[in-house]
Amino acid sequence: MESGGGVVDHLADERSKAQFDVDEMKVVWAGSRHDFELSDRISRLVASDPAFRKDNRVMMSRKELFKNTLRKAAYAWKRIIELRLTEEEANKLRFYVDEPAFTDLHWGMFVPAIKGQGTDEQQQKWLPLAHRMQIIGCYAQTELGHGSNVQGLETTATFDPQTDEFVIHSPTLTSSKWWPGGLGKVSTHAVVYARLITDGQEHGVHGFIVQLRSLDDHMPLPGITIGDIGMKFGNGAYNTMDNGVLRFDNVRIPRDQMLMRVLQVTKEGKCVQSNVPRQLIYGTMVYVRQTIVADASRALSRAVCIATRYSAVRRQFGSQNGLETQLFWLLVLFQVIDYKTQQSRLFPLIASAYAFRFVGEWLKWLYTDVTQRLQANDFSTLPEAHACTAGLKSLTTSVTADAIEECRKLCGGHGYLCSSGLPELFAVYVPACTYEGDNVVLLLQVARFLMKTVAQLPSGKKPVGTTAYLGRVEHLMQYRCGVQNAEDWLNPSVILEVFEARAARMCVNRAQKLGSFPNPEEGFAELSAFLAEAAVAHCQLIVVSKFIEKLQQDIPGGEGVKQQLRNLCNIYALNLINRHLGDFLSTGAISAKQASLANDQLRSLFSQVRPNAIALVDAFNYTDHYLGSILGCYDGNVYPKLYEEAWKDPLNDSVVPDGYQEYIRPMLKQQLRNARL
């Protein structure tokens, strides 16, 4: 991509080493040929349009940055209409514009909330307005003093039967809505979550559609205090987004603006449960979290693409054995990617990117399956789906945030430059570890589900889905790994059973410890860190199992593609064994000798991946525009581009810097006078 026009491809030699069909791997990565062709077409459309330029973001002031984002969002909407893009194509276009904006929350949270929680009548009224962007919405749940604790939200919605209205109010400072993207300066409406109060009684937290600003002059409506919460981490990064603060002073809205798909409030103030099951609203949560897992694979693959390409371009001196090498070491330069230390840090991240991509595909299927079951009043898989999406959201976002920083370090000093793309990618991505559920809190939710599952085993209740392995807990507690040589670790059934044994034994161990406490809640609080570890083991098992399942499917591209995916699957699993060796040894899932053999096999796999590394990241099919990195550019022509980029900095607008006459010159002259004394 983007290597034409007479530009020299400095990575051509690396690409010639590939042992598989890269174009077919692009299809595997995309999920289907349709998805590949769609992504390829839209990403090139965005990359070729100078209106979507983004390389100057880090040098803009906050106001310039925000106004530029408004311009891009408006231009993107104009192009969507002009080109008559489908909803799928429009989503892709917004994705490849690659800039956090109010539209993310409008399409990603506001619209789905109305779809999931609004009645048919409410959807018919509000969705056409939202789809035409005649109103712009956000999702106002988090408060200044309340994040993950949704039940602790303080904003109130009190029904007034005299006027047939709800009174929305912020009774305390900590009840201020805080953090919603798009709220600060843009949104005209919000889905606001508040404590429902009728006739002096509370009925839990519910959603309400509240207009915030006038559709004529964009001024806040009476009783509404609204603004931006200030600069966030990074230069450009999430500072393109107007994360906001919102307070209500007895703001009145019509009764029919409460989202009433599940619970309805009558004119008399009576709460009536609809025939739609309450569990249906959890479908929205599953949807949002599965998109976060998909985003994790994209962010990780992007960082890995940059680090891999630069590792193949960057050369470093080799070992200095003997006089001749000592004299001519400057001529003996090796690619950084050839160092085993670099491979041991980089290649597992490539494997993780593919692993997260495939588990994200599976979560998309899970969301569809759960939604269909809920609509048929089948709630049997909901607890497992909720725990699964919560755990995978936590696992993939934590790993990805750490991995982006690791990729920056893998690029050496140049990785610290904003032009590397990695500092900004990190700053944009790390909020994912806290939004839509703090990662540690989510792991504890998974742990509760696992402990409940273990507690129900004696009753004969069979675990389902991703916890089905706990139904074989007696076998797994007795299991002994049969690996005798390094090659045995290439057997997927061996890997799977080792991960199952480790997860099952950690769950049983935690359950037994919990049982020793007279008060279960006290025990859960005391053992929370250990319970979170069991949740991580369970989630890692899910990712490994879904990668293995992917290998059992019909994969385009022939044996070459499949072999590379096998290598990556094995690297992902064996690297986890290496990193969590204490778990595997302490539970008795494997022996110390088998752990050593796993490490031997891991090193062997690195050697097999090495000639394919560039091709594996090329398969992500990212344009240079989307990567936004000089270090990761397709043609590998890094150093001239770094040199050219340096001169674009505003500090270089003048040879002598502003402030020289006031500060530098007097200092220098003072030093000269002192020197004569």
Side-chain angles (χ1 to χ4, degrees):
M1 250 196 240
E2 301 186 51
S3 58
V7 176
V8 177
D9 185 351
H10 293 268
L11 292 171
D13 184 56
E14 285 292 324
R15 294 188 167 99
S16 70
K17 299 174 184 177
Q19 298 164 328
F20 65 97
D21 188 328
V22 180
D23 287 336
E24 291 298 341
M25 187 69 89
K26 289 178 181 178
V27 174
V28 174
W29 173 263
S32 70
R33 193 163 296 278
H34 164 77
D35 288 337
F36 162 68
E37 291 173 353
L38 174 65
S39 295
D40 188 59
R41 176 166 52 86
I42 298 297
S43 66
R44 289 175 182 274
L45 175 70
V46 172
S48 63
D49 193 330
F52 291 125
R53 177 190 174 192
K54 62 181 185 178
D55 60 322
N56 57 346
R57 283 190 309 207
V58 297
M59 298 174 190
M60 292 181 177
S61 69
R62 177 79 198 284
K63 283 190 172 182
E64 291 172 334
L65 195 65
F66 181 66
K67 188 173 182 180
N68 189 50
T69 302
L70 298 184
R71 177 190 64 78
K72 285 187 182 180
Y75 180 74
W77 183 241
K78 177 173 173 282
R79 294 298 286 151
I80 287 167
I81 294 171
E82 288 174 346
L83 297 172
R84 297 183 179 181
L85 299 186
T86 64
E87 186 176 344
E88 183 183 23
E89 291 169 327
N91 285 336
K92 286 288 183 187
L93 187 141
R94 284 188 286 267
F95 171 76
Y96 283 113
V97 169
D98 187 42
E99 192 156 312
F102 63 91
T103 48
D104 298 347
L105 284 301
H106 176 82
W107 295 106
M109 297 295 288
F110 181 71
V111 170
I114 295 173
K115 281 183 178 178
Q117 299 169 41
T119 62
D120 291 343
E121 293 77 16
Q122 288 173 323
Q123 293 183 41
Q124 289 165 12
K125 175 181 178 180
W126 296 101
L127 289 180
L129 296 172
H131 285 147
R132 292 193 296 266
M133 294 203 79
Q134 291 174 307
I135 61 172
I136 298 172
C138 65
Y139 187 87
Q141 177 173 292
T142 300
E143 295 179 351
L144 182 58
H146 307 276
S148 297
N149 180 21
V150 176
Q151 296 309 311
L153 295 180
E154 297 178 84
T155 304
T156 57
T158 306
F159 184 65
D160 181 354
Q162 301 299 318
T163 60
D164 198 28
E165 294 173 318
F166 286 106
V167 181
I168 312 294
H169 186 59
S170 307
T172 63
L173 180 69
T174 50
S175 68
S176 306
K177 295 299 179 183
W178 190 273
W179 274 116
L183 170 65
K185 294 295 174 182
V186 178
S187 293
T188 62
H189 291 69
V191 171
V192 175
Y193 287 86
R195 308 180 75 85
L196 171 62
I197 301 173
T198 65
D199 197 24
Q201 287 191 315
E202 285 199 14
H203 302 277
V205 174
H206 295 269
F208 301 81
I209 299 174
V210 183
Q211 184 171 348
L212 307 174
R213 292 179 168 97
S214 165
L215 294 176
D216 294 323
D217 59 9
H218 208 61
M219 291 296 290
L221 296 182
I224 288 176
T225 302
I226 194 169
D228 187 273
I229 62 172
M231 288 283 284
K232 281 86 65 178
F233 181 62
N235 292 359
Y238 240 93
N239 290 303
T240 57
M241 181 76 79
D242 55 327
N243 297 91
V245 53
L246 170 66
R247 295 197 73 181
F248 298 100
D249 182 8
N250 295 300
V251 174
R252 290 178 172 269
I253 63 170
R255 178 175 57 87
D256 64 5
Q257 286 182 212
M258 172 183 166
L259 293 174
M260 295 192 189
R261 188 175 187 186
V262 172
L263 184 75
Q264 298 172 355
V265 175
T266 67
K267 289 182 179 181
E268 297 74 32
K270 302 297 182 184
C271 290
V272 180
Q273 196 77 26
S274 73
N275 56 6
V276 175
R278 181 173 179 80
Q279 293 94 328
L280 204 58
I281 65 173
Y282 289 105
T284 304
M285 185 187 298
V286 173
Y287 167 77
V288 171
R289 287 178 178 164
Q290 66 93 13
T291 62
I292 292 174
V293 173
D295 289 342
S297 71
R298 295 188 189 103
L300 176 51
S301 59
R302 185 171 167 179
V304 160
C305 185
I306 294 168
T308 303
R309 286 177 177 171
Y310 182 61
S311 295
V313 170
R314 183 71 169 181
R315 293 181 178 269
Q316 195 62 277
F317 55 85
S319 60
Q320 301 179 28
N321 297 323
L323 178 61
E324 185 177 353
T325 307
Q326 289 180 37
L327 291 174
F328 299 104
W329 66 271
L330 283 172
L331 303 177
V332 187
L333 299 177
F334 295 101
Q335 291 166 284
V336 172
I337 200 171
D338 285 326
Y339 287 89
K340 293 298 179 182
T341 48
Q342 193 83 349
Q343 292 177 10
S344 67
R345 296 162 65 194
L346 179 60
F347 292 174
L349 299 184
I350 298 177
S352 297
Y354 276 86
F356 292 173
R357 178 65 177 167
F358 298 145
V359 82
E361 281 182 5
W362 172 75
L363 276 182
K364 193 174 181 180
W365 169 86
L366 181 70
Y367 165 69
T368 303
D369 180 69
V370 167
T371 302
Q372 290 173 348
R373 288 174 181 269
L374 290 176
Q375 289 170 347
N377 287 342
D378 177 0
F379 312 123
S380 60
T381 62
L382 185 59
E384 191 259 345
H386 176 261
C388 188
T389 51
L392 289 174
K393 183 272 178 184
S394 175
L395 176 73
T396 58
T397 55
S398 293
V399 169
T400 297
D402 291 343
I404 295 170
E405 169 62 6
E406 183 70 1
C407 285
R408 184 192 66 77
K409 290 187 250 184
L410 284 165
C411 291
H414 293 331
Y416 194 62
L417 287 168
C418 282
S419 58
S420 76
L422 292 165
E424 290 301 290
L425 178 58
F426 180 75
V428 167
Y429 189 75
V430 287
C433 295
T434 41
Y435 64 57
E436 287 308 301
D438 175 85
N439 281 357
V440 174
V441 173
L442 291 180
L443 286 178
L444 293 177
Q445 290 179 11
V446 177
R448 283 190 184 276
F449 171 71
L450 292 173
M451 294 303 99
K452 183 177 180 180
T453 302
V454 172
Q456 290 175 337
L457 290 176
S459 68
K461 184 175 181 180
K462 287 287 185 183
V464 296
T466 55
T467 56
Y469 69 98
L470 289 173
R472 299 182 290 110
V473 71
E474 291 184 7
H475 163 72
L476 292 173
M477 294 299 288
Q478 302 298 320
Y479 168 79
R480 291 292 177 267
C481 178
V483 166
Q484 295 184 338
N485 55 64
E487 289 72 27
D488 290 343
W489 279 115
L490 300 179
N491 186 334
S493 62
V494 169
I495 288 175
L496 190 58
E497 201 154 28
V498 163
F499 273 82
E500 287 177 340
R502 169 220 187 189
R505 293 176 189 187
M506 290 179 74
C507 285
V508 170
N509 172 267
R510 272 56 172 180
Q512 289 172 342
K513 288 185 180 296
L514 269 179
S516 66
F517 284 82
N519 184 327
E521 285 305 311
E522 179 187 337
F524 199 91
E526 179 66 25
L527 299 172
S528 57
F530 298 101
L531 289 162
E533 290 173 356
V536 169
H538 172 71
C539 294
Q540 289 173 343
L541 165 61
I542 295 173
V543 180
V544 169
S545 67
K546 297 310 167 187
F547 206 147
I548 290 173
E549 284 181 16
K550 180 70 177 180
L551 293 173
Q552 295 167 347
Q553 297 172 8
D554 184 22
I555 296 174
E559 183 58 27
V561 167
K562 202 158 192 174
Q563 184 56 51
Q564 292 311 310
L565 293 178
R566 284 194 205 101
N567 289 342
L568 292 175
C569 181
N570 290 328
I571 285 174
Y572 180 75
L574 296 181
N575 183 64
L576 284 179
I577 291 175
N578 192 42
R579 288 175 62 87
H580 297 271
L581 197 53
D583 288 350
F584 287 93
L585 292 176
S586 64
T587 58
I590 62 173
S591 67
K593 173 64 175 174
Q594 290 166 336
S596 178
L597 291 171
N599 206 30
D600 292 343
Q601 185 57 57
L602 186 58
R603 290 198 310 276
S604 175
L605 287 165
F606 291 159
S607 298
Q608 295 176 50
V609 165
R610 166 63 190 92
N612 298 284
I614 292 298
L616 284 169
V617 300
D618 282 352
F620 302 147
N621 202 40
Y622 294 146
T623 63
D624 283 354
H625 173 273
Y626 177 67
L627 277 182
S629 168
I630 286 174
L631 302 188
C633 53
Y634 184 90
D635 62 25
N637 194 22
V638 170
Y639 302 118
K641 291 180 180 179
L642 277 176
Y643 187 81
E644 180 185 346
E645 189 69 18
W647 294 106
K648 295 178 182 177
D649 193 284
L651 274 182
N652 288 321
D653 287 347
S654 61
V655 176
V656 176
D658 294 343
Y660 167 76
Q661 293 293 341
E662 299 97 318
Y663 307 114
I664 299 175
R665 192 173 188 278
M667 198 161 34
L668 292 171
K669 295 301 180 183
Q670 179 65 38
Q671 287 174 351
L672 287 172
R673 285 197 293 272
N674 287 343
R676 292 193 188 103
L677 293 178

